Amino acid sequence: MEHLATPRAAAFFDLDKTIIARSSTLAFSRPFYAGGLINRRTVLRSAYAQFVYLLGGADHDQMERMREYLSAMCTGWDVATVRSIVADTLHHIVEPIVYAEAVALIEEHHAAGREVVIISSSGSEVVEPIGAMLGADKVIATRMVVADGKYTGEIESYVYGPQKAIAITELAATEGYDLQASYGYSDSITDEPMLAAVGHPVAVNPDKALRRLAISRDWPVLDFTEPVALADRARLREARRPALAATAFGAGLVAAGVVLYAARRRVRPTES
């Protein structure tokens, strides 16, 4: 009897407020200030933008204003300097704000044989190192135009809203992913096109609009609340390794665990 091959699948994760508890770009405002790229006024504006972003979630207009602000802010920056600052401060800035629940899901998807793709509207210079730190297989992020080693202020590719759905569809065609067998995770209603493009959409720490949509479409809703340093998690995992080695889980069981985990954490609030 001929056995059908298991479709190749991926798990697509938004970054900000889905894997990490802050805006990845704005989180680096202080290191950029220390490195001489921005002034104190810009640091304070970034802190305020971060506050607004966390308080109510960023809607389309806010994200557009943030895009314009960030592109204007980085005009003339030296690309090598940005990469160096991110590399030097990555673990100090990002590690403490990674959600433990997100790391666990990434590990479960890898154990189930799925590739993990981080897709973010933040710049590639920030997202790619974070993706490498988290063990992501691929990263899709916004790219700025560079001339003579400096940012021109123009955006080559803005990975936001519908563009995320286009990007994962193109990647699926290139890599042979079956999108109906794939997973998607995001906190924002602006990512509805991406979530709708996969067979297993999940709302994570959703804004009000996405929460309502997820409930109406019967999508799982997860609330991540436990940022944890990756080094602490690694030590805990090493301590548990002898016990884990005694038990073997098949890929099918792990895949089922992801679905059941999502179902258990589903939230059905009463807000209108």
Side-chain angles (χ1 to χ4, degrees), residues 6-122:
T6 301
R8 189 166 187 236
F12 300 97
F13 284 83
D14 174 48
L15 180 60
D16 300 347
K17 295 179 72 177
T18 301
I19 294 179
I20 64 176
R22 298 174 61 187
S23 161
S24 51
T25 299
L26 296 179
F28 284 93
S29 60
R30 288 189 180 277
F32 288 160
Y33 169 71
L37 294 177
I38 58 178
N39 57 30
R40 182 172 178 79
R41 177 183 175 86
T42 305
V43 172
L44 294 175
R45 288 182 64 188
S46 295
Y48 176 73
Q50 179 72 252
F51 171 74
V52 172
Y53 177 83
L54 291 174
L55 187 64
D59 61 19
H60 175 77
D61 291 340
Q62 288 172 328
M63 286 298 294
E64 283 297 312
R65 288 195 296 271
M66 191 178 297
R67 176 187 68 84
E68 294 171 1
Y69 163 61
L70 292 173
S71 63
M73 180 179 70
C74 74
T75 300
W77 284 7
D78 182 77
V79 177
T81 300
V82 173
R83 292 186 182 276
S84 176
I85 291 173
V86 172
D88 290 344
T89 60
L90 179 68
H91 290 277
H92 172 69
I93 295 296
V94 175
E95 269 207 11
I97 59 175
V98 175
Y99 285 118
E101 299 97 330
V103 175
L105 269 179
I106 289 172
E107 291 174 348
E108 289 187 54
H109 280 298
H110 274 150
R114 302 184 194 94
E115 292 200 341
V116 170
V117 180
I118 293 177
I119 179 164
S120 173
S121 60
S122 293

Side-chain angles (χ1 to χ4, degrees), residues 101 220-226 260-267:
E101 299 97 330
V221 176
L222 304 181
D223 288 294
F224 292 169
T225 59
E226 301 178 25
L260 291 175
Y261 173 72
R264 286 199 305 269
R265 297 294 301 275
R266 185 176 297 170
V267 178

Side-chain angles (χ1 to χ4, degrees), residues 1-3 5 14 20 41 45 63 84 117 129 132 136 154 160 198-199 231 235 238 257:
M1 181 177 178
E2 184 179 351
H3 293 280
D14 174 48
I20 64 176
R41 177 183 175 86
R45 288 182 64 188
M63 286 298 294
S84 176
V117 180
E154 298 175 283
Y160 171 76
V198 299
R235 284 193 292 269
E238 285 299 319

Side-chain angles (χ1 to χ4, degrees), residues 70-263:
L70 292 173
S71 63
M73 180 179 70
C74 74
T75 300
W77 284 7
D78 182 77
V79 177
T81 300
V82 173
R83 292 186 182 276
S84 176
I85 291 173
V86 172
D88 290 344
T89 60
L90 179 68
H91 290 277
H92 172 69
I93 295 296
V94 175
E95 269 207 11
I97 59 175
V98 175
Y99 285 118
E101 299 97 330
V103 175
L105 269 179
I106 289 172
E107 291 174 348
E108 289 187 54
H109 280 298
H110 274 150
R114 302 184 194 94
E115 292 200 341
V116 170
V117 180
I118 293 177
I119 179 164
S120 173
S121 60
S122 293
S124 59
E125 291 76 14
V126 169
V127 181
E128 288 175 356
I130 294 176
M133 182 180 72
L134 293 168
D137 299 285
K138 293 178 177 61
V139 165
I140 302 172
T142 292
R143 295 189 177 277
M144 305 293 292
V145 175
V146 175
D148 299 323
K150 298 182 184 299
Y151 297 112
T152 67
E154 298 175 283
I155 297 178
E156 177 183 330
S157 174
Y158 186 37
V159 185
Y160 171 76
Q163 185 58 41
K164 284 190 176 182
I166 295 171
I168 70 169
T169 301
E170 291 175 348
L171 183 63
T174 300
E175 298 294 329
Y177 299 142
D178 179 351
L179 286 180
Q180 285 306 301
S182 297
Y183 292 71
Y185 300 88
S186 178
D187 70 291
S188 175
I189 189 62
T190 61
D191 285 341
E192 184 275 339
M194 179 186 78
L195 294 175
V198 299
H200 303 281
V202 181
V204 176
N205 296 338
D207 56 31
K208 290 182 179 180
L210 180 59
R211 189 179 291 272
R212 285 194 294 266
L213 181 70
I215 292 171
S216 70
R217 296 185 182 179
D218 201 30
W219 292 352
V221 176
L222 304 181
D223 288 294
F224 292 169
T225 59
E226 301 178 25
V228 63
L230 294 182
D232 293 341
R233 182 175 176 81
R235 284 193 292 269
L236 180 61
R237 187 167 57 246
E238 285 299 319
R240 291 176 175 172
R241 191 177 297 277
L244 292 175
T247 307
F249 291 93
L253 181 58
V254 175
V258 174
V259 176
L260 291 175
Y261 173 72

